[in-house]
Amino acid sequence: MNMQRIQTLEGNHNLENYEDTYKNFNWDEVKDAFSWSHTGKVNIAYEAIDRHAENPDKADQPALIFSSPDRQEQLTFTDLKQASNQFANVLKKHEIQKGDRVFLFMPRSPEFYAAFLGILKVGAIAGPLFEAFMEQAVRDRLEDSEATMLITTKDLLERVPVDDLPNLKQIVLIDGDGEGFISYEEEMKEASKSFDIEWVDLEDGMLLHYTSGSTGKPKGVYHVHNAMLQHYQTGRWVLDLQEGDQYWCTADPGWVTGTSYGIFAPWLNGVTNVVRGGRFSPDDWYETLQNHGITVWYSAPTAFRKLMSAGEALVKNYDLSNLRHILSVGEPLNPEVIAWGMDAFHLRVHDTWWMTETGAQVVCNFPSLDMKPGSMGKPIPGVEASIIDNEGSELPPNQMGNLAVKAGWPSMMRAIWKRPEKYESYFLNGWYISGDSAYRDEEGYFWFQGRLDDVINTSGERVGPFEVESKLIEHKAVAEAGVIGKPDPERGEIVKAFITLNDGYEQSDELLEDIRQFVKRGLSAHAAPREIEVKDKIPKTRSGKIMRRLLKSWELGLPTGDTSTLEE
Ligand code: WTA
């Protein structure tokens, strides 16, 4: 196979001529796809669910197929309309209003999707939290957003520092009741299945996703209803969704992929959305693809690499003949994975680049475009992406620089919650600066090079070194800590910590394991350092900033470069 270039495969695609569309496309053309273009009434949950429930051809088609080791359930568009109406009524009863922040901290389940849509239907702002978060991670997000209500489960409740969160007035328990809690089951039983949706403005808020930067606590990336234009349209062009598709996005809705592409894109396009709960295992995943006749599958390089190492013989046990289109996001997609995809499925794996802040896909490989393995593809029509230098000027082909997006695309974040100056700092000369470095070749394909800041990407999850360092120094044995991403063949990067110990503590395997567990219990498993190295000193600048760049050079055995700002 020629790995320099893989030609488009046979088939009809929603986007047949990329270059022409890129030249001529205007977002106004998409508005007709939404009912608000003629009714003037806006709400993303209405467009995603109710609109289809009101269409006799769609009403009884499955919207959500939920499957986990101990639960199988199917909800039609009508079912989901009604369940989310019921939850919206529960919210109204408890006086949740437009603009309130209502957070969800629970595993994937049909209840999650009903609750999430219900939040949007009352005009509130949903804040989904990844179920693996531990107390500190939960606390930071609820504190910063000043969430007034949380929906969670009995098991997860112990990680919610209820007494320390003055704004958090109400907690809905999904699988239990108790003094002072709202019981999901009981209130849903009583709630009416009809609801008058709160109509909003396209620029009103709907979603807060917290994400990590290189400094400070996680920040709340704020998205508005207008994002639906890009969710819908990339669902067509990039996911290539078509009538009758069985679509599976493997991401958890605690991360942006699990909302933009695990909720909005499929449902705005009226397509059946398969959600799998439970942990990853190669057999379960192939079974999901087979048993649900998945046609379009959106996942991540880490998962593909795990399937790849499970061996190609395993794939042959399954009938995956329905599969038509595979996509990837979150980390660099290795050309080896693309070669494996061609062998195992006879399909191309289409890399897509975007981030929490962009709200939807920006640079992508399209089904109808030739693919250059290792490249992320080209910008979607209607959005300008470029490579710019530190002064904000565009760079010519093949020069590495900041991957940037021209401000004003439909799903762009509209704020960093409560931090206007932080928000402003992302923009230069009208460009949103992503923090990734890349170059563009003569044919307009973008090539990812790496992060420009210290943000760690481990198995596709963003980890902020500052958060981990802050947690580490809360451990009684740890004096100072510096945290970096260390390259790793399976996970992309792993979290590595350098620490100094307080007087009276001796390095031992038990102590390091205890420290690791401490971070895991406080933040989450993915943020816990897989490697910890004890040092006599952590290098810092004279102003006291940890020099992670220097730590990284030590780790990689590279020259240490300019150390003139090093203290002493
Ligand atoms: C990285 C996930 C290489 C990148 C949707 C970005 C990628 C960060 C790719 C955003 C890709 C995402 N190739 N790197 N195709 N896609 N990234 O906010 O560093 O969790 O800035 O959004 O993941 O991560 P986030």
Side-chain angles (χ1 to χ4, degrees), residues 257 330-332 351-356 436 448 451 457 462:
T257 308
E331 341 151 42
D351 194 12
T352 63
W353 177 92
W354 58 291
M355 56 201 303
T356 308
D436 287 349
F448 178 83
R451 274 304 289 183
N457 187 337
R462 262 164 90 169

Side-chain angles (χ1 to χ4, degrees), residues 468-531:
V468 184
E469 287 159 0
S470 307
K471 196 77 224 165
L472 281 164
I473 57 175
E474 282 176 27
H475 188 282
K476 56 188 185 317
V478 178
E480 288 187 317
V483 167
I484 60 161
K486 173 181 174 177
D488 179 81
E490 191 179 309
R491 295 186 167 81
E493 287 183 312
I494 58 165
V495 178
K496 167 146 192 180
F498 295 87
I499 57 169
T500 60
L501 294 176
N502 278 318
D503 287 348
Y505 288 92
E506 285 288 323
Q507 173 173 354
S508 70
D509 287 350
E510 293 76 44
L511 178 65
L512 296 189
E513 184 53 24
D514 187 64
I515 295 172
R516 213 177 84 75
Q517 290 299 330
F518 178 77
V519 178
K520 189 171 163 183
R521 278 196 311 277
L523 290 174
S524 65
H526 67 269
R530 283 187 180 265
E531 283 183 22

Side-chain angles (χ1 to χ4, degrees), residues 185-392:
E185 284 77 9
E186 275 176 32
E187 303 237 348
M188 286 290 275
K189 243 189 288 167
E190 288 164 21
S192 159
K193 290 184 176 152
S194 21
F195 181 75
D196 285 332
I197 292 189
E198 177 82 29
W199 302 114
V200 298
D201 190 273
L202 284 168
E203 290 300 313
D204 279 333
M206 59 134 179
L207 189 58
L208 260 185
H209 268 300
Y210 277 80
T211 191
S212 300
S214 53
T215 55
K217 298 244 188 208
K219 50 190 199 296
V221 178
Y222 174 74
H223 288 289
V224 299
H225 287 254
N226 190 66
M228 74 175 95
L229 275 92
Q230 201 166 334
H231 293 152
Y232 167 82
Q233 195 56 30
T234 52
R236 288 186 59 72
W237 285 334
V238 186
L239 305 180
D240 202 34
L241 294 174
Q242 290 166 28
E243 194 59 38
D245 265 330
Q246 294 276 104
Y247 167 77
W248 180 31
C249 166
T250 62
D252 187 275
W255 311 113
V256 73
T257 308
T259 53
S260 297
Y261 294 98
I263 295 179
F264 298 126
W267 285 338
L268 288 165
N269 280 284
V271 161
T272 302
N273 192 15
V274 175
V275 171
R276 192 185 175 287
R279 295 183 78 85
F280 171 88
S281 94
D283 287 290
D284 281 358
W285 275 38
Y286 286 133
E287 244 170 68
T288 302
L289 289 170
Q290 170 186 275
N291 297 353
H292 295 290
I294 301 298
T295 54
V296 179
W297 180 33
Y298 199 5
S299 195
T302 298
F304 294 133
R305 286 192 294 264
K306 282 189 193 151
L307 292 175
M308 201 167 118
S309 51
E312 230 174 280
L314 188 62
V315 193
K316 305 226 152 66
N317 298 338
Y318 298 90
D319 173 9
L320 306 179
S321 51
N322 286 309
L323 201 55
R324 184 184 88 232
H325 187 33
I326 309 176
L327 305 105
S328 170
V329 67
E331 341 151 42
L333 179 65
N334 331 60
E336 296 92 293
V337 174
I338 297 177
W340 162 79
M342 292 298 286
D343 286 342
F345 312 109
H346 309 293
L347 292 172
R348 311 190 305 179
V349 179
H350 295 74
D351 194 12
T352 63
W353 177 92
W354 58 291
M355 56 201 303
T356 308
E357 294 84 343
T358 69
Q361 293 159 340
V362 173
V363 175
C364 301
N365 287 281
F366 298 86
S368 60
L369 265 192
D370 283 2
M371 182 187 277
K372 297 186 182 182
S375 156
M376 308 185 288
K378 298 187 179 191
I380 64 163
V383 176
E384 207 180 322
S386 191
I387 307 297
I388 67 162
D389 65 17
N390 292 336
E391 277 68 56

Side-chain angles (χ1 to χ4, degrees), residues 159-181:
R159 301 189 208 151
V160 184
V162 181
D163 298 331
D164 298 348
L165 295 164
N167 294 293
L168 186 63
K169 305 245 164 45
Q170 314 189 75
I171 294 183
V172 181
L173 275 188
I174 293 285
D175 52 358
D177 42 30
E179 201 43 46
F181 297 105

